[in-house]
Amino acid sequence: MKSSTKVRALLPHTFSILNAAQREAELAGRTCVQIDDVLVALAVTGGPASRVLAAHGADLSALRAAVGDRDAADLKSIGIDPASIAPPHRRTLAQAWTAQRALVLDPGVEELIRSVPSERELLRALADHPSGGPAETLRRAGVDVEALLADQGWPVAPKVTGPAGVDGLLDGLRVTTSRTVRFVPVPFERLADVLAAPELVAEWIIPMPGARPVDDHVLVSMPADDPVSTFEMRRVRCTRDEHHVEVVWQQFLGPELLEQTGSDDDRGYYLQVRATPCAGGCDLVLVRGVAGRGRFALPARWVGKAFAGITARHLAQTITEVALGHR
C-alpha cells in the first residue's frame, strides 16, 4: 500500500469501510481485497449506502453469489475451468478473528481509498467503475444500475450522539455514552433472536473461540485458553414484541481481572441494542456506555466515544453475518 493510501486509510470513515472490506474478503476465503469486497462492505455496514442498495433490491446473499459468479467468469475468460478449482470455504467470524491472514489490496481498491469519498460518492464510483465489474455484480444480483445512479433520495448519514444512557447499570461512575443508528438487511423475526439469544450473541458480540454461551450470559476468555482474563457479558435487560426488541448486554469482570484493576466494582461497559422493522430490514439503535477505571478511565471514555462510529459499522456487519449464517 502506498504511503498516501496508508494515511487516508487511517481516517475513521475510510478505515471502517476498508476494515469491513478486508473482513468480507477474509470471510469469503480470499487473500486479496477486491473492488467487489468494497461494494459488499457498503451493503453490510448499515450506513446510507446499505439503505439505498436494499431499496434497489440488492439482497446481500445475491450480491455475494454474484461476486462468486463473476470470479468464475473471469477464470473461464483465461481458459480455466472453475469446476477444476475448489471454491474457497467461507470462514466463520471466530476463524477470521483468531487466524487472520495477510491480505493484499487490489490496485483498484487503493485508488478508491485515495479519493476518500463519502458513501454516496463511493457507491457511485463503484457502480460507474471503468472496469464495469461492480456494475455487473449489481446486475447479476437483480439491481437496476441506471436507476441506482439516478436515485436522488439519499438518506442522511447517521451521526454519533451522546444520550443520557441506561439508568441503573453504571450508577456512581463517570460514564461516556454514545448512540448510533445503523440499518441491517435482516428480517425482524430473525434479528430479534440474534440480538437476544446467548448462543447467537456469543458469535457476534466478541466473535472468537473464547466466547461461549452460559445460561443468560456469554462467558469470554481472551485468549480462549487463559482463565485469568475471563469476564462475562450478561443479558441484564430484554423486552420483545412483534415490532420491537430491546436488549442490554453488560460486561462483568472476573476475579483475576478485577484484582488487576484494584477495584471491587466488577461492572464494565454496556451495550444497549434496539431494533425495529423498516423497509428492507431493520433499524438498529446502538447505545454504549463506557466508564473505564483508574488512570485509564479518561482514555477509555474518550476512545469509546471517538470510535463509536467504527464500532457501530463493525457490529452491523457481524450481526448481519450471524443472522445470515443461521437462516
Side-chain angles (χ1 to χ4, degrees):
M1 188 187 297
K2 296 180 179 179
S3 297
S4 59
T5 306
K6 290 180 180 179
V7 172
R8 289 176 172 82
L10 291 175
L11 297 174
H13 168 75
T14 313
F15 173 82
S16 56
I17 291 296
L18 177 59
N19 185 259
Q22 290 174 325
R23 188 179 302 112
E24 179 61 31
E26 193 155 21
L27 291 172
R30 291 189 288 274
T31 56
C32 177
V33 183
Q34 306 170 358
I35 293 177
D36 278 335
D37 292 318
V38 180
L39 176 63
V40 178
L42 285 177
V44 78
T45 48
S50 299
R51 295 183 188 273
V52 170
L53 285 166
H56 286 271
D59 176 80
L60 183 57
S61 296
L63 273 177
R64 287 172 171 164
V67 173
D69 290 344
R70 281 196 52 233
D71 287 343
D74 288 343
L75 288 173
K76 285 183 179 179
S77 70
I78 58 176
I80 299 175
D81 181 6
S84 66
I85 300 176
H89 174 69
R90 188 164 187 86
R91 309 175 81 202
T92 66
L93 288 166
Q95 289 171 335
W97 179 296
T98 57
Q100 296 182 5
R101 297 175 298 184
L103 299 175
V104 297
L105 294 184
D106 182 278
V109 175
E110 289 202 34
E111 183 62 35
L112 287 170
I113 292 173
R114 280 197 294 271
S115 63
V116 198
S118 66
E119 285 200 12
R120 183 173 191 173
E121 294 166 333
L122 181 54
L123 182 57
R124 290 186 64 88
L126 287 164
D128 206 22
H129 196 269
S131 69
E136 177 62 21
T137 296
L138 288 167
R139 292 190 179 96
R140 286 175 180 266
V143 176
D144 184 333
V145 176
E146 287 67 32
L148 178 68
L149 288 169
D151 192 334
Q152 298 299 314
W154 196 265
V156 176
K159 293 185 178 181
V160 177
T161 58
V166 182
D167 292 335
L169 299 185
L170 293 174
D171 291 357
L173 301 175
R174 295 186 62 184
V175 181
T176 295
T177 58
S178 60
R179 177 185 183 273
T180 51
V181 180
R182 310 305 293 180
F183 167 80
V184 289
V186 177
F188 176 76
E189 297 77 13
R190 183 57 194 159
L191 185 62
D193 290 337
V194 171
L195 298 181
E199 64 272 17
L200 297 179
V201 174
E203 297 184 31
W204 63 261
I205 199 162
I206 301 179
M208 57 178 295
R212 57 187 178 88
V214 179
D215 298 326
D216 62 349
H217 62 274
V218 177
L219 187 66
V220 181
S221 295
M222 299 178 63
D225 57 354
D226 183 7
V228 174
S229 59
T230 298
F231 62 88
E232 295 180 2
M233 294 298 297
R234 298 179 192 168
R235 189 181 61 196
V236 296
R237 299 184 186 179
C238 183
T239 59
R240 175 179 175 179
D241 58 34
E242 60 181 0
H243 299 299
H244 170 267
V245 61
E246 178 178 332
V247 188
V248 180
W249 291 90
Q250 185 173 8
Q251 181 195 45
F252 289 86
L253 303 182
E256 291 81 4
L257 282 179
L258 193 60
E259 183 178 353
Q260 292 175 25
T261 67
S263 169
D264 58 359
D265 189 338
D266 65 347
R267 296 174 300 167
Y269 74 90
Y270 66 79
L271 175 66
Q272 178 193 52
V273 189
R274 289 178 286 169
T276 53
C278 64
C282 293
D283 283 323
L284 196 65
V285 181
L286 304 166
V287 176
R288 183 183 292 268
V290 179
R293 297 170 184 276
R295 65 181 185 276
F296 298 111
L298 184 60
R301 294 199 301 270
W302 181 86
V303 169
K305 184 66 175 289
F307 289 90
I310 294 174
T311 301
R313 279 193 173 97
H314 172 81
L315 286 172
Q317 184 177 22
T318 55
I319 288 169
T320 300
E321 181 69 18
V322 173
L324 294 178
H326 287 272
R327 279 182 172 178

